[in-house]
């Protein structure tokens, strides 16, 4: 790169045309994004005599303007935003500079803005300035169109407007432009390649995509986890299946099976390079049932992937506004009927709880004989949590469901929250909020009036404050008197059956049982009468049509909202962990057949209740309700960074609670405890009762909740304790802790005694080994004696051989052969004693030597050496027979000696092992004794 401008560049700069620094043209399809990071070293520009305070940028949609009205198959537009280096959605953004973005850059339209060189874009402590630019395709339905755009960055407006094809990008030092496409953004490596990896799978909803719509959530997870320190860094990899873009209407089974195949494939691929040992799933809308089907499919096809010892550990199962129990119970008839006939394909029928025959059953059922007698349901939403996959869902450390409490008619609150909630408390909170709002409004009005009086009547005496008018003015917290409610007056005269509609009853049936009140105990479920007495108000249900239209008509956040987090009023209104024991009794278990005729929704309600209970009867669920502005269904995942920023409260909460520093620390501690629990099976762990829960406000280190992350954040409003019973409850918990401590101490003492007994056994074994070694030594001495005798026998054999070879002996043998031929036909073997020579050689040890030898050593001696053998040979070749016999004896003696040396080596090694085990046992006994002393001190302090 040149250090100074060329003459041509200098002339263009002086003529006012400016320099064209960046010019790119790209095509984007459905789910595609282009991300640019422009980095400029201003000092280097100054060195090249380029003195500027801002750059000009222009992004143009190069599609034909005739595509503007075509929306259903498109839209053929782009979303664009520009973010300075120091911008963060969760921190205040100083200055009057605006954050430029465009919601829909339509065909043949241009988006123009400036890149300012100021403190917001400056990398602190350097002369470098940086900006990030996102260009996102808005295509949602069709997969084949490609939208063309162009981006230009120059030092003047004129440089970005010039259309000459001959105009080239000016080469200037100090300017760097990095670009990422969809594939590169969704395939980033982990921070630590050599350490275990936590894989996060993100799944999109219907008519959506992973690449663009779930990008904000992916960015936030990576921004949160990447800077963490090494010991607690989860080493995240975020991936998403892009095979279902444009095909999300083909049924939950079809799209879930595709995601399941992707999960299996990506795990196998990543494990070739990294060590993936944890996995999490995050799904939005239809992505919740889809990822459930993916887990179901992967478990059926590849159960080894989730093996408790060798497979990946399931960590988070998160669903945001997901219809786990279908939507038919909350949709009006004019919407549910089109779903039945296939407006949204098989997916619409699945969500409407309709069975579709002749569909594929791949990955739904298991052939294990253990589950052959299990009754398999037909509806896909009911199949997902069935055994044996339910056991895998139970192993997830966190199961969290986020739901919109208002403005979401696409996936209403009941189905997104799995039916069962503390509806009564929500109603109370709503009333409290209304009262607080009324108080605030009254205070504001009263304050205004008082300030007017004070300014106009400053000379009034102080006694005026005692007048009734002044008293009313001073009571700023008083709720103003309301006019007569005409609707309430009409209802007073109407039959009560018409006033209390069945709308309230469907929420009352889903009320959890652990609501504490003055009139009811903790275990007594509230009755319908109690709701009527408390004037239970059902939450307002959002309109499905208005929710669908809000995608086009929803308000866009203001610059103040984007730049100042304190101005945002979106909030978490409910955050609680629901346990299986919180479920009420089933309402539709024993219902008469005639009820199906009298109540048309009887069958639907029964199915929804059955699905909801299957998900929750054996699993804890954390349910988080959020209050977000319209288009809340898309806002809850921040589908577009600034257009849907109202949902940042939900995304930030999800990221912080599941991937934040505190969450990672607690997850690490939890996994360490689980590992310790698997490796040790003392009595106090095997008898551990996970259902015993301690008051979360007591800060007790013995808390046994399987949700350590969530239990500490539990709201006091939803505490199970009554104020009057809190002291008694604390005493019970203290007594429980004392009992636990005593039991633990007893178990530790028992372990110490067992260790001492093991040490004694080890000493006995060591003594036995010493005895064995002594026996071996004696046996070795015996063998040496045996070897000496064998050598003597060999020497005798050699003497006999020499004697036998003399001429006189040869004559005697020839006479014997002649005699043999005269008296007996055939060839005859003659023993050595037949010629009165001592050729019978005894190769076995003598009886006095054989006695002290151990039985084991006798078994190792060759069989022929344990018996008396007489050497036989043919008179035709006596010399050869004697040589072979001598060699054979020598070979056997060598084999015996080799085996004895092996025995000695093995015994010596075993002795060393025993000595090492003894030293380890002594160390273990010392450690146990230290623990016993320490626990004795702890017990004394507790008592």
């Amino acid at each position: 790169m040149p250090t100074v401008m060329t003459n041509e560049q200098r002339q263009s700069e002086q003529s006012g045309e400016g320099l064209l620094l960046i010019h790119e043209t790209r095509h984007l399809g459905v789910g595609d994004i282009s991300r640019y990071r422009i980095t400029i070293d201003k000092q280097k520009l100054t060195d090249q005599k380029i003195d500027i305070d801002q750059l000009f940028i222009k992004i143009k949609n190069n599609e034909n303007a005739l595509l503007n009205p075509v929306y259903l198959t498109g839209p053929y537009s782009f979303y664009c935003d520009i973010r300075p280096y120091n911008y963060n959605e969760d921190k205040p953004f100083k200055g009057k500079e605006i954050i430029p973005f465009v919601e829909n850059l339509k065909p043949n339209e241009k988006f123009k803005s400036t890149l300012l060189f100021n403190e917001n874009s400056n990398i602190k402590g350097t002369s470098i300035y940086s900006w990030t630019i996102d260009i996102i395709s808005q295509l949602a339905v069709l997969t084949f169109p490609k939208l063309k755009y162009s981006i230009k960055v120059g030092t003047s407006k004129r440089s970005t407007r010039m259309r000459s094809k001959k105009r080239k990008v000016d080469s200037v030092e100090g300017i760097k432009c990095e670009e990422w496409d969809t594939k590169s953004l969704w395939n980033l490596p982990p921070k630590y390649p050599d350490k275990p990896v936590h894989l996060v799978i993100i799944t999109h909803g219907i008519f959506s995509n992973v690449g663009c719509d779930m990008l904000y959530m992916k960015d936030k997870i990576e921004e949160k986890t990447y800077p963490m320190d090494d010991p607690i860094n989860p080493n995240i990899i975020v991936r998403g299946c892009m095979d279902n873009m444009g095909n999300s209407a083909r049924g939950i089974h079809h799209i879930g099976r595709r995601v399941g195949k992707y999960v299996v494939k990506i795990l196998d691929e990543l494990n070739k390079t990294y060590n993936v040992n944890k996995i999490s799933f995050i799904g939005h809308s239809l992505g919740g049932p889809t990822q459930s089907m993916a887990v179901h499919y992967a478990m059926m096809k590849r159960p080894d992937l989730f093996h408790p010892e060798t497979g990946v550990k399931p960590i988070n199962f998160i669903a945001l506004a997901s219809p786990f129990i279908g939507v038919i119970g909350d949709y009006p008839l004019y919407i549910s009927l089109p779903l039945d006939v296939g407006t949204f394909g098989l997916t619409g029928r699945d969500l409407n709880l309709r069975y579709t025959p002749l569909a594929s059953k791949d990955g739904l059922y298991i052939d294990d004989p253990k589950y052959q007698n299990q009754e398999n349901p037909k509806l896909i939403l009911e199949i997902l949590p069935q055994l044996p996959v339910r056991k895998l869902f139970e192993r997830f450390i966190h199961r969290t469901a986020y739901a919109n409490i208002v403005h979401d008619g696409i996936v209403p609150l009941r189905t997104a929250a799995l039916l069962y909630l503390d509806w009564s408390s929500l109603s109370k909170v709503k009333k409290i909020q209304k009262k607080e709002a009324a108080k605030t409004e009254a205070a504001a009005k009263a304050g205004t009036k008082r300030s007017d009086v004070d300014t106009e009547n400053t000379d009034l005496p102080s006694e005026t404050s005692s007048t009734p008018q002044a008293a009313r003015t001073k009571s700023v917290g008083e709720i103003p008197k309301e006019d007569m409610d005409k609707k309430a007056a009409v209802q007073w005269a109407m039959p009560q059956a018409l006033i209390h509609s069945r709308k309230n009853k469907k929420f009352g049936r889903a009320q959890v049982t652990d609501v504490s009140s003055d009139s009811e105990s903790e275990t007594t479920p509230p009755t319908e009468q109690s709701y009527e007495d408390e004037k239970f108000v059902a939450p307002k249900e959002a309109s499905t049509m208005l929710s669908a239209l809000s995608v086009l008509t929803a308000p866009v956040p203001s610059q103040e909202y984007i730049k100042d987090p304190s101005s945002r009023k979106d909030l978490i209104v409910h955050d609680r962990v629901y346990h299986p024991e919180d479920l009420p009794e089933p309402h539709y278990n024993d219902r008469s057949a005639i009820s199906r005729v009298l109540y048309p929704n009887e069958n639907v309600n029964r199915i929804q209740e059955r699905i909801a209970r299957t998900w929750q009867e054996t699993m804890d669920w954390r349910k988080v309700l959020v209050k977000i502005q319209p288009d809340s269904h898309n806002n809850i995942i921040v589908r577009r960074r600034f257009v849907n920023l109202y949902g940042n409260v939900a995304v930030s909460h999800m990221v912080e609670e599941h991937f934040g520093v505190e969450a990672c620390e607690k997850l690490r501690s939890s996994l360490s405890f689980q590992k310790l629990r698997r490796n040790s099976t003392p009595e106090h762990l095997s008898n551990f009762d996970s259902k015993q829960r301690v008051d979360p406000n007591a800060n007790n280190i013995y808390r046994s909740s399987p949700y350590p992350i969530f239990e500490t954040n539990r709201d006091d409003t939803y505490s199970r304790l009554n104020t009057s019973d809190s002291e008694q409850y604390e005493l019970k918990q203290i007594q429980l802790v004392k009992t636990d401590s005593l039991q633990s101490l007893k178990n530790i003492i028992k372990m110490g005694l067992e260790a001492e007994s093991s040490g004694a056994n080890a000493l006995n074994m060591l003594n036995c080994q010493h005895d064995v070694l002594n026996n071996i030594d004696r046996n070795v001495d015996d063998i040496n004696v045996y070897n000496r005798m064998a050598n003597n026998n060999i020497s005798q054999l050699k003497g006999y051989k020499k004697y036998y070879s003399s001429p006189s002996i040869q004559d005697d043998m020839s006479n014997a052969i002649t005699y043999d031929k005269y008296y007996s036909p055939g060839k005859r073997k003659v023993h050595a004693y037949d010629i009165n020579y001592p050729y019978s050689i005894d190769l076995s040890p003598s009886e006095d030597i054989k006695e002290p030898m151990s039985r084991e050593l006798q078994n190792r001696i060759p069989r022929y050496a344990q018996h008396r053998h007489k050497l036989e040979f043919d008179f035709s070749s006596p010399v050869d027979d004697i040589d072979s016999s001598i060699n054979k004896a020598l070979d056997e003696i060598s084999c015996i000696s080799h085996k004895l040396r092996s025995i000695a080596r093995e015994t010596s090694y075993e002795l060393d092992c025993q000595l090492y085990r003894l030293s380890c046992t002594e160390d273990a006994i010392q450690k146990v004794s230290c623990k016993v002393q320490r626990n004795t001190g702890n017990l004394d302090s507790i008592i």
Side-chain angles (χ1 to χ4, degrees):
M1 299 290 289
T3 56
V4 294
M5 291 187 297
T6 62
N7 292 332
E8 183 180 354
Q9 293 173 359
R10 188 176 291 108
Q11 291 175 3
S12 63
E13 179 71 16
Q14 293 175 355
S15 63
E17 293 181 0
L19 299 175
L20 181 60
L21 304 178
I22 299 171
H23 183 195
E24 298 286 348
T25 302
R26 296 286 185 271
H27 291 82
L28 298 181
V30 58
D32 286 342
I33 175 177
S34 290
R35 173 169 289 178
Y36 297 91
R37 181 183 294 162
I38 299 176
T39 306
I40 296 178
D41 191 338
K42 193 176 180 183
Q43 183 61 43
K44 292 184 178 181
L45 295 184
T46 304
D47 294 342
Q48 300 171 77
K49 299 182 180 180
I50 304 176
D51 189 12
I52 53 176
D53 294 328
Q54 62 182 358
L55 295 176
F56 297 88
I57 181 172
K58 183 181 76 172
I59 302 173
K60 181 181 178 181
N61 186 338
N62 291 334
E63 294 300 314
N64 195 310
L66 295 177
L67 293 174
N68 265 325
V70 182
Y71 189 88
L72 293 179
T73 59
Y76 296 88
S77 60
F78 295 99
Y79 165 84
C80 309
D81 67 52
I82 303 172
R83 306 187 301 278
Y85 178 80
N86 294 314
Y87 175 77
N88 188 322
E89 290 83 2
D90 299 321
K91 297 179 181 178
F93 187 76
K94 300 178 181 179
K96 297 182 179 180
E97 179 184 358
I98 66 170
I99 305 298
F101 70 95
V102 58
E103 179 181 1
N104 279 300
L105 185 61
K106 298 178 181 179
N108 202 35
E109 289 186 352
K110 305 178 186 68
F111 170 54
K112 300 177 182 179
S113 186
T114 56
L115 308 180
L116 301 179
F117 290 88
N118 56 22
E119 60 179 4
N120 293 324
S121 58
N122 178 250
I123 299 178
K124 189 176 182 180
T126 67
S127 61
I128 299 175
Y129 298 80
S130 181
W131 302 263
T132 301
I133 303 167
D134 282 349
I135 304 175
I136 297 176
S137 168
Q138 295 278 57
L139 288 171
V141 180
L142 300 182
T143 58
F144 58 85
K146 299 290 183 181
L147 307 184
K148 183 180 179 180
Y149 74 89
S150 62
I151 177 173
K152 293 181 180 181
V153 178
T155 58
S156 66
K157 291 183 179 180
R158 187 174 179 181
S159 63
T160 61
R161 288 199 300 261
M162 297 182 65
R163 300 182 180 180
S164 175
K165 295 182 179 179
K166 296 181 180 180
R167 178 66 189 272
K168 297 181 180 179
V169 175
D170 297 308
S171 181
V172 179
E173 187 179 4
I175 297 178
K176 182 180 179 182
C177 181
E178 301 173 272
E179 181 182 2
W180 294 270
D181 59 3
T182 311
K183 186 176 181 181
S184 58
L185 281 173
W186 283 89
N187 287 277
L188 298 177
K191 183 177 182 180
Y192 303 106
D194 299 331
K195 295 190 175 182
V197 171
H198 183 173
L199 175 63
V200 179
I201 300 294
I202 296 182
T203 309
H204 61 85
I206 193 169
F207 300 133
S208 182
N209 58 77
V210 167
C212 299
D213 295 349
M214 311 298 288
L215 181 65
Y216 182 84
M217 187 177 296
K218 169 189 175 294
D219 289 344
K220 285 300 178 182
I221 293 174
E222 293 173 342
E223 289 174 9
K224 176 63 68 174
T225 59
Y226 194 85
M228 289 184 187
D229 297 332
D230 184 12
I232 63 170
N233 193 302
N235 212 21
I236 290 287
I237 285 184
V238 183
R239 296 291 186 267
C241 178
M242 302 185 184
D243 299 335
N244 290 322
M245 291 186 298
N247 297 312
S248 53
R250 299 186 64 178
I252 294 175
H253 174 240
H254 176 82
I255 59 180
R257 184 176 57 181
R258 280 191 171 185
V259 177
K261 292 180 179 178
Y262 173 81
V263 171
V264 173
K265 182 183 74 172
I266 199 66
L267 279 173
D268 291 338
E269 289 179 355
L270 291 175
N271 278 322
K272 294 178 182 178
T273 309
Y274 314 110
N275 174 26
V276 181
N277 69 339
K278 293 184 283 292
I279 191 169
S280 295
F281 293 88
I282 304 175
H284 168 241
S285 188
L286 184 64
T290 300
Q291 68 182 9
S292 303
M293 180 63 222
V295 174
H296 193 106
Y297 178 87
M299 183 63 180
M300 292 294 184
K301 296 296 184 180
R302 289 284 302 279
D304 59 295
L305 293 177
F306 301 99
H307 191 275
E309 301 296 334
T310 60
V312 294
K313 298 177 181 63
I315 305 298
N316 300 310
F317 186 82
I318 305 170
L320 299 99
S322 295
F324 282 106
I325 63 173
V327 295
I328 185 174
D330 300 280
Y331 276 10
L333 187 62
Y334 63 86
I335 292 180
S336 61
L337 284 179
L339 291 179
D340 285 343
V341 299
T343 303
F344 288 160
L346 294 180
T347 302
R349 290 183 58 83
D350 290 340
L351 295 176
N352 226 23
L353 301 180
R354 293 291 183 263
Y355 172 65
T356 303
L358 304 178
S360 172
K361 301 295 187 293
D362 183 29
L364 288 180
Y365 306 112
I366 191 171
D367 296 331
D368 191 344
K370 184 178 179 181
Y371 301 99
Q372 289 298 323
N373 297 328
Q374 175 178 306
E375 183 179 355
N376 294 319
K378 294 182 178 180
L379 300 178
I380 183 65
L381 290 178
E382 197 171 359
I383 293 173
L384 297 180
Q386 297 297 323
L387 291 172
V389 184
R390 189 192 310 166
K391 294 182 179 179
L392 177 57
F393 286 118
E394 292 171 0
R395 286 172 50 200
F396 278 93
I397 296 179
H398 307 141
R399 289 168 296 275
T400 310
Y402 286 82
N404 287 305
I405 197 168
V406 290
H407 305 308
D408 191 353
I410 307 299
V411 179
L413 176 59
R414 287 175 70 251
T415 180
L418 284 167
L419 192 62
Y420 295 103
L421 276 175
D422 189 357
W423 298 103
S424 179
S425 294
L426 290 176
S427 177
K428 294 176 183 177
V429 170
K430 186 177 180 181
K431 293 177 182 178
I432 293 172
Q433 289 177 345
K434 286 184 176 180
K435 290 181 179 179
E436 292 296 329
K439 288 180 181 180
T440 304
E441 183 179 357
K445 291 181 179 179
T448 304
K449 291 180 180 179
R450 174 155 186 160
S451 63
D452 294 341
V453 172
D454 291 342
T455 55
E456 293 178 4
N457 303 311
T458 56
D459 56 345
L460 289 178
S462 59
E463 287 78 12
T464 57
S465 61
S466 61
T467 61
Q469 181 66 28
R472 286 194 296 269
T473 304
K474 291 182 67 175
S475 59
V476 295
E478 182 180 354
I479 300 177
K481 184 178 179 181
E482 297 181 356
D483 296 334
M484 186 183 72
D485 189 352
K486 297 179 180 179
K487 181 178 179 181
V490 173
Q491 288 183 349
W492 182 82
M494 293 175 60
Q496 293 297 308
L498 296 179
I499 298 174
H500 299 285
S501 64
R502 296 188 56 82
K503 177 182 176 181
N504 287 355
K505 292 185 178 181
K506 72 176 183 179
F507 293 100
R509 290 192 295 266
Q511 170 66 42
V512 293
T513 61
D514 64 337
V515 180
S516 60
S517 62
D518 295 336
S519 59
E520 294 173 343
S521 64
E522 293 177 9
T523 57
T524 304
T527 60
E528 293 184 1
Q529 183 64 33
S530 65
Y531 285 106
E532 294 177 3
D533 294 340
E534 296 177 5
K535 297 182 179 179
F536 172 75
V537 179
K540 185 178 180 180
E541 298 186 48
S543 168
T544 306
M545 293 299 297
L546 292 179
S547 298
L549 291 175
S550 65
V551 178
L552 303 176
T553 61
V556 177
S558 63
Q559 284 293 322
E560 181 186 6
Y561 188 95
I562 293 173
K563 295 163 59 177
D564 185 9
S566 63
S567 65
R568 302 169 189 171
K569 297 182 180 180
D570 307 289
L571 72 159
I572 305 292
V573 299
H574 183 78
D575 183 2
R576 174 181 169 183
V577 178
Y578 288 82
H579 309 290
E581 56 267 26
D582 296 339
L583 294 179
E585 291 297 326
H587 180 75
Y588 292 97
N589 263 4
D590 303 321
R591 301 272 289 182
S592 60
I594 196 173
S595 61
R596 299 186 181 183
V597 179
L598 298 178
Y599 306 106
N601 291 331
E602 177 83 10
N603 190 43
V604 171
N605 293 338
R606 179 183 287 106
I607 296 173
Q608 287 188 325
E609 181 185 72
R610 193 162 60 233
I611 297 173
R613 296 188 70 86
T614 306
W615 275 111
Q616 299 174 85
E617 281 180 335
T618 59
M619 293 177 267
D620 292 344
W621 278 86
R622 183 182 188 182
K623 299 180 183 180
V624 183
L625 308 186
V626 296
K627 182 181 179 182
I628 303 176
Q629 294 296 323
D631 197 16
S632 58
H633 189 70
N634 288 321
N635 290 342
I636 198 171
I637 58 166
V638 189
R639 181 173 173 268
R640 296 292 181 263
R641 185 177 293 267
F642 295 125
V643 175
N644 303 109
L645 192 60
Y646 292 117
N648 182 64
V649 60
V651 175
S652 297
H653 183 275
M654 186 273 295
V655 173
E656 184 64 34
E657 294 295 325
H658 299 85
F659 303 99
V661 174
E662 185 179 356
C664 291
E665 289 177 346
K666 291 183 178 180
L667 175 62
R668 183 186 177 194
S669 302
S670 176
L671 293 178
S672 300
F673 175 76
Q674 290 180 8
K675 185 177 180 181
L676 178 65
R677 190 173 182 179
R678 284 198 306 269
N679 296 336
S680 60
T681 56
E683 184 180 354
H684 69 282
L685 288 181
S686 60
N687 295 334
F688 181 79
D689 186 5
S690 61
K691 292 185 179 180
Q692 291 181 355
R693 304 187 185 278
V694 184
D695 180 15
N697 298 322
N699 294 325
N700 197 307
I701 61 173
Y702 296 93
R703 183 180 290 117
S704 60
S705 171
Y707 284 89
I709 292 177
F710 302 146
E711 205 68 39
T712 55
N713 295 331
R714 209 166 183 180
D715 196 334
D716 294 341
T717 306
Y718 308 117
S719 174
R720 298 186 180 192
L721 298 176
N722 291 327
T723 305
S724 57
D725 298 334
S726 59
E727 295 181 359
Q728 184 179 0
Y729 185 85
E730 290 178 0
L731 291 176
K732 290 181 180 179
Q733 296 305 317
I734 292 173
Q735 185 63 34
L736 178 63
V737 171
K738 288 183 179 180
T739 306
D740 247 347
S741 301
L742 286 171
Q743 185 63 34
S744 300
L745 184 60
K746 290 179 182 179
N747 292 326
I748 291 174
I749 294 173
K750 182 179 179 181
M751 292 170 62
L753 295 175
E754 291 175 356
E756 185 179 0
S757 176
S758 300
N761 293 334
L763 287 174
N764 293 334
M765 292 178 64
L766 188 61
N767 294 330
C768 294
Q769 290 295 332
H770 281 296
D771 295 337
V772 171
L773 187 61
N774 293 331
N775 291 333
I776 292 296
D777 291 335
R778 289 195 298 269
N779 293 336
V780 170
D781 294 336
D782 295 342
I783 291 300
N784 290 331
V785 175
Y786 170 80
N787 286 338
R788 286 195 297 271
M789 293 184 61
N791 290 332
N792 293 334
N793 289 333
I794 291 170
S795 299
Q796 293 178 8
L797 282 172
K798 291 181 179 178
Y800 295 149
K801 178 181 179 182
K802 184 176 180 181
Y803 179 79
Y804 175 75
S805 301
S806 63
S808 59
I809 297 301
Q810 293 291 337
D811 293 338
D812 293 340
M813 290 181 66
S814 62
N815 294 333
I817 291 172
T818 304
Y819 179 82
D820 186 62
K821 288 181 179 180
Y822 181 80
Y823 287 102
S824 60
K827 196 170 182 180
R828 175 172 177 259
K829 291 185 177 180
V830 180
H831 293 285
Y833 56 77
D834 292 338
I835 319 174
N836 297 323
Y837 291 103
Y839 287 100
S840 179
I841 307 300
D842 187 9
L843 294 179
S844 60
S846 60
E847 293 297 327
D848 57 337
I849 296 178
K850 191 174 181 180
E851 284 296 332
M853 294 179 65
S854 65
R855 186 179 302 276
E856 181 180 1
L857 188 61
Q858 292 181 26
N859 294 333
R860 292 178 180 270
I861 297 177
R863 186 176 300 173
Y864 81 90
Q866 298 184 28
H867 304 280
R868 293 181 177 275
H869 291 278
K870 296 178 180 180
L871 296 179
E872 298 180 351
F873 52 84
D874 196 338
F875 279 106
S876 61
S877 56
V879 178
D880 295 336
D881 285 335
I882 291 176
D883 284 338
S884 63
S885 298
I886 292 172
N887 294 333
K888 186 175 181 181
L890 290 172
D891 292 339
E892 292 295 334
I893 291 171
S894 175
C895 181
I896 293 171
S897 178
H898 176 73
K899 291 182 178 180
L900 286 172
R901 285 195 297 270
S902 299
I903 293 172
R905 283 196 300 269
E906 293 174 2
T907 305
S908 177
Y909 175 77
E910 186 65 23
L911 180 60
D912 294 338
C913 293
Q914 290 296 333
L915 289 171
Y916 176 76
R917 292 171 188 165
L918 178 62
S919 64
C920 293
T921 304
E922 291 174 352
D923 294 339
I925 292 173
Q926 291 179 359
K927 292 180 180 178
V928 170
S929 63
C930 293
K931 290 183 179 178
V932 169
Q933 293 176 0
R934 186 166 58 252
N935 280 278
T936 303
N938 293 338
L939 181 62
D940 293 337
S941 63
I942 291 174
I943 295 175

